[in-house]
Amino acid sequence: MNEPIPAGAHRILILNTLAFTLCFAAWTFNGVMVTYLVDNGIFNWSQVQIGWLLGIPILTGSVMRLPIGILTDKYGGKWIFVGLLLLTSVPMFLLSFTSSFTWYALMSFGFGLAGAGFAVGIGYTSVWYPKHWQGRALGIFGAGNAGAAITTLLAPTLLNSFTQNGQNPEAWKTLPMIYAAVLVTMAVLFALLAKNKKPALSTRTMAQTLKPLGNIRVWRFGLYYFLVFGCFVAFSQWLVPYFTNVYGTSLVIAGLFASLFSLPSGIIRALGGWMSDKFGARKVMFGVFKWSIVISALLMVPKMEIFSPGKGINATQKGIVAEVASDEIVMDNGKTYSFSPMTSSDQVQSVNTPIFPQKSSWQEPVVKAGDEVEKKQLVVKGITRINFEANMWVFAVLTLLVGIVWGIGKASVYKFIPDYFPNEVGVVGGMVGVIGGLGGFFCPILFGYLLEGTGIWTSSWMLMLVISIGCLWWMSVVTKNMLKSKAPDLADKIDHH
């Protein structure tokens, strides 16, 4: 018989989810803010500096998840969450006084603490729910990831309003003040409405608390979370400058498209929790990795225009060029070589951005009147032009799909934790969150360096393809080894087929 849900558990879940949503909105604040400051010429930061500013808050929130998770297991989540919200509001407020890259980076380190709210909420939520409901509860709580969409949806519009559509750009400083005020308000609500609760084993020593970190399984779960959460956080910010640069959209439109990626991914996490409870986390994760590989492969094809040698014409006999006309070459021996010159349709791109690559071909003479031509010599070269516009709407739909896939994966990873570590959910969840969150730190920086090095915006999706393949390979190896140890006969049959 299933254990009943304690009274007040759902109220705590609602408070946790709301607080985490606001923390996540603050955590991903730089995606919009930094893009606005650069696009409006307030600061002249390079792509690499932008990558660092997008990653720095994620680093703080990720690294602090482990100690915050330990504190949550030891003291309970109520006052840890209240303190976290208040501490985060201070550097967010001081961000308004930015005058340099260094100051902005330092304040970003400070308000990045908001990302550690995840470790508080995971431990604080799981302690209120019995095992059969934890997948759903943690999935609902994880929907707070949609806080990234709050920033990408509302922040650009608020900036336009405060700055009077750019006429008073310095008024951007109002926005971090509002974020700070919202965090303080949430802290007060949490203090008034939440009830504290700690895990049964809250008297463990530090050595006992950290013991699970020696288990390779924790690090494997961390890699999975690096992809489905860390890369999600990275793209929830990176897509804003992506759309403004690749497709020339406004900041508001870029924010809307970035929200199309982040909002469903956050909400769908609750579905991922239910699917993990019903079908098992491992089965769900196999599907997540396979779909991530397929969609990343489609997204990594860049917007490009390729010119390649096409079908040419070689002289069939020796002679001298008598005349080069617009579409033919006349030889002194009476031989004529007709060719297809470039037309207006070859020069002008389609008004409507095509979904599939478009190919056009033409020919150009490589000889002029009076030239002596040998047999088999090239007299007309062929040119093939392939134009791929990377249709913005197709790109947006694919990012929506990969966001949904990763959203399901986020809940599935955290379904593993209470199953394998029922008494260390806070510390293990914190460690997995650290490793996963580091993806949100390293990826924007790697994106910046990849962009500088290759000049290709889709190099970020090439990196996603590599990470997805790595995750699928590791899970396949582990599953195969588990099967061989527990059911060797079945494993041999699978290998044979």
Side-chain angles (χ1 to χ4, degrees), residues 202-284:
S202 59
T203 58
R204 290 169 294 171
T205 65
M206 185 60 70
Q208 289 172 324
T209 299
L210 295 177
K211 186 178 179 181
L213 304 187
N215 192 323
I216 188 66
R217 186 179 281 125
V218 175
W219 300 90
R220 181 162 55 86
F221 294 163
L223 176 64
Y224 301 162
Y225 209 57
F226 185 98
L227 172 67
V228 297
F229 176 74
C231 296
F232 161 79
V233 172
F235 275 107
S236 67
Q237 300 187 89
W238 187 254
L239 284 175
V240 176
Y242 193 109
F243 276 103
T244 58
N245 282 270
V246 176
Y247 296 108
T249 65
S250 67
L251 185 62
V252 172
I253 298 300
L256 287 171
F257 276 114
S259 303
L260 190 64
F261 164 78
S262 57
L263 181 60
S265 181
I267 295 173
I268 207 73
R269 187 166 182 160
L271 174 63
W274 174 82
M275 291 173 66
S276 299
D277 283 341
K278 186 171 179 63
F279 304 110
R282 186 169 287 105
K283 186 174 183 179
V284 174

Side-chain angles (χ1 to χ4, degrees), residues 39 100 134 191 296 339 342 399 423 427 496:
D39 286 355
S100 66
Q134 283 186 344
S296 296
F339 61 88
M342 178 188 285
T399 55
N423 296 316
V427 65
H496 177 72

